[in-house]
Amino acid sequence: MGGTKKNHVFVPTLLLTLTLGMLGYGEIGHAQTTGISPSVAELSGAGPIADIRIEGVERIDPATVRSYLRVLEGDAFDPVAIDESLKALFATGLFADVVFRRDGDDLVLTIVENPIINRIAFEGNQRIDDEQLSAEVQLRPRVVYTRTRVQADVQRILEVYRRSGRFAATVDPKVIELDQNRVDLVFEIDEGPRTGILRINFIGNSAFSDGTLRGQIQTKESRWYRFLTADDTYDPDRIAFDRELLRRFYLSEGYADFRVVSAVAELAPDREGFIVTFTVEEGDRYQFGVVDVASGLRGLEADSIRDAVVSEAGDWYDANEVEESVTALTAAAEAQQFPFVEVRPRIQRDREELLINVTYEVLEGPRIFIDRIDITGNTRTLDKVIRRELTVAEGDPFNRSRLSQSERSVRDLGYFERVTITSEPGIDPDRADIEVNVAEQATGELSFGAGFSTNDGALGDFSLRERNFLGRGQDVRIGATLSGRRQEYDFSFTEPYFLDRDLSAGFDVFRITRDNQDESSFDEQSLGFGIRFGYPLTERLRQRVSYGWSIREITDVGSDASRLIRDQEGERTVSEVSQELFYDARDSRLRPTSGYYARLSTGVAGLGGDVQYFRAEAESGFFVSLLTDMVLSVSAEVGQIVGLGQDVNISDRFFLGGDSLRGFEVGGVGPRDLDTDDSLGGNQFARGSVELSFPLGLPDEFALAGHVFTDAGSLAQLDGSAVNVVDEHALRLASGAGVSWRSPFGPIRLDFVVPFAKEDFDKDERVRFSFGTRF
């Protein structure tokens, strides 16, 4: 019954709705008094009890009532025993009132039963549905109604709304009397507005401004542009986490004595929001003093792993660097076949010189083996998809560096918003249990684009992709590009662990039709498929082997078309075997900030079909972090295709432009027929790019980044010759700037580019926009 206000439709026709306080149901009456009730004391007297009569029962069997009595027929009228009976009856929660009276030698018990709940309903709840609220309350239909239980459920409902940031919510429980001592219970809810954060104050900070500290915590002040986040609503757990974030920040800046004295949230008098105040003690700022490594392992020299230490003497003290050094030293020792290693940083403060001396003691750690690996949080993704990314298994030696590597590998899948791997003591002292906790995120991608070009006219691009199909880690994609002159359809499927081995397998099917009559006097059609397999050679090096088969046809060639086009009219079958080597040393495949990669691919056509060529491409790139959140990336790529006893067809040549060379249209550079203005492609290309990505200084929740870049490239070497065909090894250069937004709907990027080294016949593109959305 969640959502909008609802009308009562309960039977009987005449209903009486009263608030709980008006109705007065609950544990009231004699049992709430201490000692013996005066009315019970009046029951004392000589003579035994002749009979016990029970009046007022409707649903409850009289025998059940008698089972709680402390007196029986034949017993004396003992006020103490009768009072104990009274309290025992009230303790059951079945009765609203209990009264004992004496009628001659008979003891008469008059009771009023608590009603039974017929139905529970919620009204006024729009933000939280009935199912969630029903799961929180303890009362249920056909359960005895008591006021205490109702008030407890009211507090539970209010707690649900507080957790969602609505501290102004109110809950008014009401009952509707029915026949047979039944009631309908209705919780009338006024959700109220979300209780935001009006202001965040800091007291005691001098080294860093309030604005800087606000940027370090997760809680944010309420602003109009934060409608996509809940960080600007009050959450006690988030405030507690903010204390830890402040501590980490100050420790990373050298303030080793820092502490948060208090974190207080006060509701404003108008109840419109909270004012949060952090009181801090910064203390002095320290530098690293002596930084040393001491080895307590036989056969492990400290000098052999000393280079793994991140911190250096004279630098400002940074607790994060200490943790990084511990991890790096552990990995370095494990690389030298010491699986059970424990690195303890021994820290000594010199408060007079404001120095912190650190000695990393490398000791033999306890011989702990992994007993069990538990995976939680994956409601959709199968366990085996996560488990196969782990570099440890049950029975392996406990290894923190491998756990960190496993956490990074699972995160790089792109299936999860959060990945944490923790360890807990096992059932035995030499055992440890590993818990992998993940929080899933959307893995489907719906991307589309629209544009206009002189060649294709209005153009639309669509692709639907699921990177974790059915939770099995399979990648499925279907795409289409439609325009007035070009239609392209493709479908691909990839199984990353074929036959449950680290062997990826997949296939692709495509169909492309292009109408070039207006400009080149021909139509082109391609229909084909491909299969591929990939497997690791080393931890970072993978190889992919693939086979592709396609039919490519050039038809409807006009009599006035270029000779280079007329010579290629007809149908050709291409059968190509190719391979690719890919070395990946980046810190992340999704958003790298350091490391490098290299790719080498080759292909041979001619094993079947009627097209023969050899193709080779090489690409490399590296990433480096500069200052805070700034990443410099440099990439380069070259390619060559050579016909084997024949000219290279236009369908097999390279084309440059668009994403591969910003500032120019797709196919906007390289050999061109000036008479038809057609891009003919080339047999040889080279391109490079340098890009600097940096934050724009806006709040982190905006997820905006700026980019400046320079692209360079060249495309040439055309088989054959014709009048008015240009084919020059000319270098093209373009520089630009852009902004990207990791929006809730997917990545969005807008670039402005200026080509400053180009040929007159090139087709430039000054503005480039890309958008994709996830669902």
Side-chain angles (χ1 to χ4, degrees):
M1 296 179 63
T4 58
K5 187 78 173 180
K6 298 172 279 280
N7 296 323
H8 300 306
V9 293
F10 304 128
V11 178
T13 304
L14 180 61
L15 302 178
L16 177 61
T17 304
L18 298 172
T19 63
L20 293 177
M22 295 170 61
L23 190 61
Y25 288 134
E27 295 82 350
I28 63 174
H30 305 112
Q32 292 180 337
T33 62
T34 58
I36 299 177
S37 170
S39 61
V40 173
E42 296 175 357
L43 300 179
S44 62
I49 299 173
D51 188 20
I52 298 177
R53 302 202 308 268
I54 300 174
E55 300 176 350
V57 292
E58 296 182 18
R59 303 181 316 275
I60 302 173
D61 191 283
T64 302
V65 178
R66 291 178 181 274
S67 67
Y68 293 102
L69 299 181
R70 302 294 187 263
V71 293
L72 301 173
E73 289 88 346
D75 293 345
F77 283 91
D78 183 358
V80 175
I82 295 175
D83 191 67
E84 291 178 353
S85 301
L86 181 70
K87 295 176 180 178
L89 288 169
F90 271 111
T92 64
L94 299 174
F95 310 106
D97 196 12
V98 179
V99 176
F100 285 91
R101 64 184 176 84
R102 182 171 180 174
D103 184 8
D105 290 335
D106 294 343
L107 180 63
V108 181
L109 172 60
T110 303
I111 64 175
V112 177
E113 296 177 352
N114 273 325
I116 294 294
I117 296 176
N118 177 62
R119 182 165 65 162
I120 298 177
F122 304 93
E123 290 188 353
N125 52 311
Q126 297 180 349
R127 305 294 179 179
I128 301 178
D129 59 29
D130 286 6
E131 292 183 0
Q132 186 174 352
L133 294 177
S134 297
E136 291 290 337
V137 299
Q138 300 297 312
L139 287 171
R140 293 288 184 269
R142 297 181 297 279
V143 172
V144 174
Y145 166 91
T146 67
R147 186 171 57 184
T148 301
R149 293 176 180 175
V150 172
Q151 293 301 329
D153 281 345
V154 167
Q155 294 303 315
R156 292 187 180 96
I157 295 173
L158 290 175
E159 181 60 30
V160 172
Y161 277 97
R162 290 190 182 104
R163 290 200 300 265
S164 64
R166 296 182 182 273
F167 281 77
T170 60
V171 180
D172 186 13
K174 295 185 177 180
V175 294
I176 300 172
E177 287 188 304
L178 306 176
D179 57 358
Q180 299 179 356
N181 199 22
R182 297 175 302 135
V183 295
D184 285 323
L185 176 60
V186 180
F187 293 99
E188 291 189 353
I189 301 171
D190 181 2
E191 295 181 321
R194 280 176 36 176
T195 311
I197 305 295
L198 295 180
R199 190 167 61 253
I200 301 176
N201 299 323
F202 294 90
I203 299 176
N205 55 307
S206 59
F208 300 98
S209 66
D210 287 10
T212 300
L213 297 183
R214 290 190 191 104
Q216 299 302 319
I217 61 178
Q218 187 175 355
T219 302
K220 305 298 180 184
E221 294 180 345
S222 296
R223 295 291 185 269
W224 66 267
Y225 50 78
R226 292 196 169 108
F227 62 92
L228 294 175
T229 178
D231 290 343
D232 60 342
T233 58
Y234 174 67
D235 185 343
D237 294 334
R238 191 184 300 123
I239 297 295
F241 181 58
D242 290 337
R243 296 173 64 115
E244 176 63 17
L245 292 177
L246 287 173
R247 189 187 71 86
R248 294 178 185 178
F249 171 70
Y250 270 93
L251 289 179
S252 67
E253 296 293 334
Y255 293 88
D257 298 327
F258 171 83
R259 71 187 187 98
V260 178
V261 179
S262 65
V264 180
E266 297 176 324
L267 190 62
D270 58 3
R271 298 179 63 86
E272 292 295 326
F274 281 88
I275 300 173
V276 181
T277 303
F278 294 93
T279 302
V280 302
E281 287 185 3
E282 294 179 328
D284 295 321
R285 192 180 190 188
Y286 290 81
Q287 292 177 297
F288 280 110
V290 177
V291 179
D292 198 8
V293 178
S295 174
L297 292 175
R298 180 180 301 177
L300 178 64
E301 298 295 332
D303 291 340
S304 65
I305 59 174
R306 194 181 303 275
D307 291 341
V309 177
V310 178
S311 51
E312 296 182 0
D315 293 345
W316 291 113
Y317 174 75
D318 187 343
N320 293 333
E321 290 187 358
V322 175
E323 294 181 4
E324 292 174 8
S325 297
V326 169
T327 302
L329 287 169
T330 303
E334 290 170 348
Q336 297 191 32
Q337 306 306 314
F338 291 91
F340 302 102
V341 175
E342 182 178 4
V343 178
R344 299 177 183 175
R346 189 174 67 243
I347 296 177
Q348 295 179 337
R349 281 186 177 85
D350 187 340
R351 300 186 184 276
E352 294 183 359
E353 299 295 332
L354 298 181
L355 296 176
I356 292 183
N357 302 318
V358 183
T359 300
Y360 296 96
E361 296 182 332
V362 184
L363 306 173
E364 183 175 4
R367 294 182 173 270
I368 300 176
F369 296 85
I370 297 174
D371 188 29
R372 191 177 70 249
I373 298 178
D374 297 323
I375 300 175
T376 60
N378 53 318
T379 58
R380 178 168 174 264
T381 306
L382 300 181
D383 275 13
K384 70 175 185 179
V385 174
I386 301 173
R387 193 175 293 273
R388 65 196 184 193
E389 298 296 328
L390 305 179
T391 58
V392 294
E394 285 89 347
D396 287 353
F398 181 81
N399 188 309
R400 292 193 180 277
S401 63
R402 287 191 174 272
L403 290 180
S404 299
Q405 181 182 351
S406 299
E407 183 175 312
R408 184 169 57 252
S409 297
V410 176
R411 187 181 298 113
D412 282 345
L413 288 173
Y415 306 159
F416 309 106
E417 180 182 359
R418 185 188 70 253
V419 179
T420 56
I421 297 182
T422 57
S423 60
E424 298 291 339
I427 57 176
D428 296 322
D430 62 342
R431 297 288 176 177
D433 294 333
I434 305 300
E435 180 171 333
V436 183
N437 182 263
V438 300
E440 293 185 312
Q441 66 180 7
T443 54
E445 295 180 2
L446 173 64
S447 62
F448 59 90
F452 182 87
S453 70
T454 56
N455 285 338
D456 292 323
L459 180 145
D461 180 82
F462 166 84
S463 70
L464 179 65
R465 181 184 182 190
E466 172 55 58
R467 295 178 292 110
N468 187 17
F469 185 64
L470 300 178
R472 299 176 179 273
Q474 298 165 339
D475 193 329
V476 180
R477 180 188 180 278
I478 182 171
T481 301
L482 305 175
S483 71
R485 302 176 183 176
R486 180 162 61 99
Q487 296 84 43
E488 178 177 347
Y489 306 92
D490 62 271
F491 175 82
S492 66
F493 175 84
T494 303
E495 168 56 67
Y497 275 78
F498 185 59
L499 300 178
D500 288 330
R501 299 177 180 271
D502 192 0
L503 172 67
S504 65
F507 67 88
D508 308 277
V509 180
F510 59 89
R511 183 180 187 274
I512 304 172
T513 302
R514 185 179 180 90
D515 180 0
N516 294 313
Q517 289 294 334
D518 291 344
E519 296 182 356
S520 303
S521 300
F522 76 94
D523 294 336
E524 180 182 7
Q525 295 182 358
S526 297
L527 176 66
F529 72 90
I531 57 174
R532 43 192 160 77
F533 296 92
Y535 49 88
L537 297 177
T538 65
E539 183 177 345
R540 295 186 179 273
L541 180 63
R542 292 186 67 90
Q543 183 173 32
R544 186 177 72 172
V545 178
S546 59
Y547 171 77
W549 178 91
S550 63
I551 297 176
R552 302 174 185 176
E553 184 178 11
I554 294 179
T555 62
D556 299 332
V557 178
S559 59
D560 56 348
S562 170
R563 183 180 61 83
L564 296 180
I565 302 297
R566 295 197 307 270
D567 290 346
Q568 298 196 22
E569 184 177 11
E571 181 180 286
R572 294 173 176 81
T573 301
V574 180
S575 175
E576 182 188 46
V577 177
S578 62
Q579 69 84 36
E580 178 182 89
L581 292 171
F582 190 85
Y583 186 86
D584 192 352
R586 295 172 294 180
D587 61 340
S588 171
R589 294 198 302 265
L590 301 178
R591 287 190 291 271
T593 60
S594 64
Y596 63 95
Y597 71 91
R599 179 181 66 89
L600 173 64
S601 67
T602 58
V604 177
L607 302 178
D610 46 23
V611 174
Q612 294 86 37
Y613 62 75
F614 173 77
R615 174 185 54 82
E617 297 176 62
E619 180 185 8
S620 182
F622 73 89
F623 304 82
V624 60
S625 295
L626 303 175
L627 302 178
T628 303
D629 297 329
M630 297 178 64
V631 178
L632 176 67
S633 62
V634 179
S635 63
E637 184 179 9
V638 296
Q640 176 79 50
I641 184 170
V642 178
L644 302 178
Q646 58 182 233
D647 291 343
V648 178
N649 297 315
I650 189 172
S651 303
D652 303 319
R653 297 175 190 145
F654 299 112
F655 289 83
L656 205 59
D659 289 333
S660 61
L661 185 60
R662 287 168 291 189
F664 300 89
E665 293 181 1
V666 175
V669 301
R672 182 177 298 275
D673 190 324
L674 298 181
D675 291 335
T676 62
D677 201 26
D678 288 330
S679 176
L680 302 175
N683 296 351
Q684 184 183 83
F685 82 95
R687 56 163 295 273
S689 179
V690 178
E691 179 170 317
L692 179 66
S693 301
F694 52 88
L696 294 177
L698 298 173
D700 292 341
E701 60 266 29
F702 275 91
L704 287 170
H707 311 271
V708 292
F709 56 86
T710 296
D711 286 1
S714 176
L715 177 68
Q717 202 177 80
L718 179 67
D719 290 337
S721 61
V723 179
N724 288 333
V725 171
V726 290
D727 181 10
E728 301 178 1
H729 280 278
L731 180 66
R732 278 78 165 180
L733 292 172
S735 293
V739 60
S740 63
W741 177 31
R742 295 197 309 272
S743 76
F745 316 104
I748 298 175
R749 177 159 175 163
L750 178 64
D751 290 325
F752 299 90
V753 197
V754 177
F756 57 88
K758 64 174 186 174
E759 299 300 309
D760 294 337
F761 52 84
D762 290 338
K763 303 295 182 180
D764 58 19
E765 183 181 63
R766 302 299 181 98
V767 180
R768 187 163 186 82
F769 174 79
S770 61
F771 167 70
T773 184
R774 287 185 173 182
F775 62 93

